[in-house]
Amino acid sequence: MRKALIAVTLALGTQWASAQSSDASTVERGKYIATAADCAGCHGENLAGGAAIASPLGPIYASNITPDTRTGIGGWSEEQLRDALRKGRAPGKGWLYPAMPYTSYTGISDADVSALYAYLQSVPAVNHEVRATDLGFPFIRPAMIAWNALYLKEGHTAGEKPALGESAERGRYLVEALGHCSACHTPRGVLMAELPEQHLGGAFVGGWQAPNLTNDPSGLGSLSDQELKQFLQKGHNSGAVAGGDMGLAVSRSLSHLGDSEIADIIAYLRQVPPVMTQTLPAAPSRPARVDPDTVEGPITGWRNLAINATTDGAVLYQSACASCHGVDGTGTAGPDLGRLRDLRSAHPNNLVQVIAGGINLKIDGRHILMPGFRDQMNNEQIAALARYVRSTFGQVPGSGPDEQEVTSILSDKTPVSWLINYAPALAWGAIAVLVLLVGWVFARRKA
């Protein structure tokens, strides 16, 4: 009897240890899913939300997804989380806006939803009331029912493409479902749905240009696998530095993936049907040399720019940029400007954004920092500096921007169709016409 009792006790102990190990592995898998899905990119490193996500319709506030029962998702069931991820519907909110990329997350597997739920319920709860999103009429949440009927295919990510081979298939899952890359890198149509025929072909988001991710020469076709790997893991290579939201995606998500996952992502991106966009001019063999003795101006340091009215791009460059990028742009502490893709792009958006806002990238204990000059330069000066570096070091002739374009870029607005732009006026106009029509019909019947 005693031996039997000991055997039962040992068996129960083994089962308990196995369950504990299984629970721990599920939570660890969920942490990986949350990292690959870049949840922290919008909801913050503590996942308590509150950040305003810029959208063409107005700010959308990222919700608290910690297990706080009052302000977070502590009262949610796993099924409710699954509905939020796959159907865009959440308790207390109703229909979500696709700033929460459920058109991509809808492809997340059942097992990974379960793991993500376990992880989100395990993180520290934060009592943080997030401001309610109000986009105004007609962009009310119930309107998403019609939008979802048109554009959401539950279980199938937006614009998904087939993949050949196990590595590319794993990469497809990381790119299309978890990474939701298409949310920024795919152009959108009249009603702001992604255009499948231009999948990952590049788009404009919040004043930035999200580049073409297809294997066309105008996209990733001109980059080697090693260059792409370095950018995804480190946030920079010889031709690019990640800024803005892409910098956050690298620092909080992509840099935490392993070599095998990065290889899978690259394998899939190489198979995405190419989309041709405007090809970058080749990097100059050597940037034009600049003699600092020929640059005249009263500015002696970048901190003095705010009190100086010069719009001479050369003077601005020597004062604000030369200490890191070199007098001739070949780089010292900073990169060689002639090799930067954003400097040679047909669109100056990213260059303007970096000049204004700088770079602040923390990866693997290393801090890549470039100061922004929005407080030291006005928009006319930023335009002059952008024109100077594009023409001098990128050797892109006649390349803007002017002051008006800089103002537009720094407004962080995403271009939208005329229908979306005038939707409130059109909606109220339609209601007025309907009221008049009903009144006319009623008057005729009464007569």
Side-chain angles (χ1 to χ4, degrees), residues 44 50 56 115 123 127 142 167 194 230 291 302 304 318 333 343 395 447:
V123 303
N127 186 346
S167 176
E194 296 173 22
Q230 182 181 350
D291 182 355
W302 65 269
N304 296 323
Q318 296 303 325
L343 191 142
Q395 298 184 17

Side-chain angles (χ1 to χ4, degrees), residues 248-328:
L248 283 179
V250 172
S251 62
R252 295 180 179 179
S253 176
L254 292 165
S255 63
H256 297 282
L257 302 183
D259 288 346
S260 61
E261 286 92 345
I262 296 296
D264 292 339
I265 288 173
I266 294 172
Y268 173 70
L269 290 176
R270 296 302 190 197
Q271 293 185 13
V272 174
V275 175
M276 184 176 68
T277 53
Q278 192 161 2
T279 304
L280 292 174
S285 55
R286 61 180 296 180
R289 297 196 64 82
V290 177
D291 182 355
D293 293 333
T294 65
V295 178
E296 298 179 359
I299 300 177
T300 57
W302 65 269
R303 294 187 184 279
N304 296 323
L305 294 172
I307 59 173
N308 193 284
T310 184
T311 54
D312 186 321
V315 172
L316 292 167
Y317 177 82
Q318 296 303 325
S319 302
C321 314
S323 60
C324 287
H325 294 287
V327 172
D328 57 2

Side-chain angles (χ1 to χ4, degrees), residues 426-446:
L426 292 171
W428 285 115
I431 291 174
V433 169
L434 181 60
V435 169
L436 291 173
L437 182 61
V438 170
W440 178 77
V441 171
F442 181 77
R444 281 183 60 85
R445 287 184 176 179
K446 192 173 182 180

Side-chain angles (χ1 to χ4, degrees), residues 43-49 63-76 117 119-130:
H43 298 278
E45 292 185 280
N46 67 352
L47 302 180
S63 59
N64 182 345
I65 57 172
T66 73
D68 183 69
T69 54
R70 189 180 72 84
T71 63
I73 63 170
W76 287 24
Y117 179 78
Y119 170 68
L120 292 178
Q121 295 299 319
S122 75
V123 303
V126 180
N127 186 346
H128 178 217
E129 190 77 49
V130 172

